[in-house]
Amino acid sequence: QVQLVESGGGLVQPGGSLRLSCTASGSFFSIDGMGWYRQAPGKQRELVAYITPGGTTRYVDSVKGRFTISRDNGKKMLYLQMNSLKPEDTAVYYCNTDDLHSWGQGTQVTVSS
């Protein structure tokens, strides 16, 4: 059974940075594509960043150039470096695999002056 645990969120001012981490225990991590998702109040959950098993990345337009997704296959960990944060980035952030296992609790990111 895959367990997903996110951490690293918090309160940050506009223009600031955060680094989110995700552990994916119980998965065949090295052969799974991984993604970061976010859900703001009253909005649908959206995929914001994706990384293939080989390290190729893709981003939704709204975060392109500001966020960087990376992975450590040996540690079965996924990261999201978030720079130049904007208030509209405020959301609960989740990680998951291509097969969308049960969601973890996520980590809250709040961008506010």
Side-chain angles (χ1 to χ4, degrees):
Q1 186 69 35
V2 174
Q3 288 189 309
L4 302 165
V5 181
E6 302 90 350
S7 63
L11 175 64
V12 64
Q13 66 182 15
S17 297
L18 286 171
R19 182 174 172 85
L20 308 184
S21 299
C22 168
T23 62
S25 61
S27 70
F28 292 99
F29 190 88
S30 65
I31 61 171
D32 289 337
M34 299 289 296
W36 282 100
Y37 301 74
R38 69 185 182 189
Q39 187 168 29
K43 296 184 178 179
Q44 294 284 327
R45 182 159 24 214
E46 65 171 341
L47 176 66
V48 298
Y50 176 80
I51 185 167
T52 70
T56 302
T57 60
R58 293 191 291 273
Y59 303 90
V60 70
D61 286 345
S62 60
V63 310
K64 194 172 297 182
R66 301 188 297 118
F67 291 8
T68 303
I69 188 172
S70 60
R71 65 193 296 161
D72 185 328
N73 289 341
K75 296 181 179 179
K76 293 186 175 182
M77 295 194 69
L78 181 73
Y79 306 97
L80 185 66
Q81 180 65 47
M82 309 165 66
N83 298 326
S84 302
L85 283 162
K86 304 175 180 180
E88 51 263 44
D89 296 318
T90 296
V92 178
Y93 284 72
Y94 304 86
C95 63
N96 218 318
T97 69
D98 281 337
D99 291 334
L100 294 180
H101 297 279
S102 296
W103 299 99
Q105 292 187 342
T107 186
Q108 175 72 51
V109 172
T110 302
V111 185
S112 180
S113 301

